[in-house]
Amino acid sequence: MTKVEKVLLLLKNMVYESTSPQETLKFAKYYRSKGLDVLVILWGPMGVLLAKKDKTRGSPKYDATVKECIDLGVEFRCCQLASDMIGLKEEELIPGIEFICSKDVAELFLRYTEENQLIISF
């Protein structure tokens, strides 16, 4: 049996009335506190909204919580395709979040699955 060492968290639904963003960030902090490598992929036109700094809607603590996760060593990637669809530019991202292309996300799915690592989608 393979020991889980890495976690891939996928956030596709950044609906302010939803608990998905909060759950994603709580899971990221929890798994990181257990010593696991955590990568959060923000994708889809709604998911990438979590990457936008200085959001004017919803809970203002999202930016601070994302920053807290980054400071703990959680990595964040924002889907380039979805960002392009909604006009989200690199300079609008929370510092520490980088763009990722769809092909690289597909490769991550394969790698995590082949390595029997944890993938959770919100």
Side-chain angles (χ1 to χ4, degrees):
M1 181 182 237
T2 304
K3 182 177 177 179
V4 173
E5 297 174 349
K6 299 188 299 187
V7 179
L8 180 62
L9 300 174
L10 307 160
L11 176 66
K12 193 169 185 175
N13 296 306
M14 176 60 187
V15 178
Y16 290 104
E17 295 78 21
S18 165
T19 60
S20 295
Q22 294 172 17
E23 289 167 343
T24 301
L25 296 172
K26 285 182 183 289
F27 276 47
K29 288 193 318 188
Y30 173 77
Y31 287 126
R32 187 67 194 125
S33 75
K34 294 290 187 183
L36 301 176
D37 291 333
V38 180
L39 174 58
V40 177
I41 303 291
L42 308 171
W43 66 322
M46 292 302 292
V48 299
L49 290 177
L50 187 62
K52 186 178 184 327
K53 66 182 171 189
D54 303 323
K55 286 174 272 314
T56 57
R57 289 197 43 169
S59 174
K61 64 181 181 177
Y62 280 132
D63 289 14
T65 306
V66 169
K67 176 72 170 118
E68 180 184 349
C69 287
I70 290 169
D71 290 345
L72 291 171
V74 174
E75 293 182 48
F76 284 81
R77 299 293 178 269
C78 182
C79 176
Q80 180 74 58
L81 176 64
S83 296
D84 290 345
M85 287 179 66
I86 65 166
L88 182 61
K89 307 280 187 245
E90 187 171 13
E91 59 271 11
E92 295 177 286
L93 298 179
I94 295 170
I97 298 180
E98 300 174 8
F99 280 128
I100 189 169
C101 71
S102 298
K103 177 183 155 255
D104 291 339
V105 175
E107 287 295 324
L108 285 170
F109 290 153
L110 286 175
R111 187 168 28 135
Y112 275 67
T113 301
E114 288 170 352
E115 296 173 0
N116 291 316
Q117 299 302 305
L118 187 58
I119 300 173
I120 302 173
S121 182
F122 294 92

